[in-house]
Amino acid sequence: MNNIEILKNNSVDVAAALELWGDMESYNESLLEYKDSLNSKLASLENYKNNRDWNNYAILVHSMKSESKYLGFMQEAEVFLDHELKGKEGNGEYIENNFNAVTNTVRKIVTLLNSYFNENTNDKKNILIADDSNIILNFLEKSIGNDFNILKAQNGEETIKYLENSTIYAILLDLNMPGLNGFEVLNYLKEHDLIEKIPVVIITGDDTEETIKKAFTYPILDVLNKPFNDKSINSILTSIKNFYENQNI
């Protein structure tokens, strides 16, 4: 059973949520679906903002508000409510100036729920997968999730957030991501003295000589070219294992 105190200690109204869901199993299933959908919804919300499509912006953030309330995230729902009202008003200036509140709220919820669901998988090492494609993230999670605890990020900012708050065994890092890209994440690892402590495998569909050459200016472990298969993934996992074994020699 997940430690419900993790949620309660972070102001989640679990009691109110259970009045709706009835039992912990149903509640946990809904929490997991909610967590896995948030980053995608945030990306859609940002797209509506950038296109100044305030009607669809208000509709989507209304959905995020309602789901948050149903699951006990009352404080977070207030942030979404604020943006729902501004979207209905067509107040683009306010939304653009305060969109970081929505972004930070989503990241807070995802981080909290990752902690909640991962608390019983501490015996598994964390592999951080950073890629803006849900297809790639889900494929890799399906391929290696039985042996490792998978942390998923869709941009450089989320990747760095995990690095700040989690113990990472290895990183599978896409180079082309929105916001901070893979090279900027590599710079972060270098600046924080992590680049030689955590094995980094670059996952990329850009196998041009220039890109690969630039990637290897950093002490990365290897490159995993898209599209990949189970054989190439297993080869990478072996390289990661050997990395740690060589450190212990």
Side-chain angles (χ1 to χ4, degrees), residues 213-230:
K213 185 177 180 179
K214 182 178 179 181
F216 274 104
T217 61
Y218 300 85
I220 62 172
L221 183 66
D222 208 340
V223 173
L224 183 62
N225 287 311
K226 304 174 185 177
F228 37 76
N229 52 37
D230 288 337

Side-chain angles (χ1 to χ4, degrees), residues 9-27:
N9 291 340
N10 283 275
S11 302
V12 180
D13 193 341
V14 176
L18 286 176
E19 289 182 6
L20 173 65
W21 298 105
D23 59 77
M24 285 302 303
E25 182 177 358
S26 298
Y27 181 51

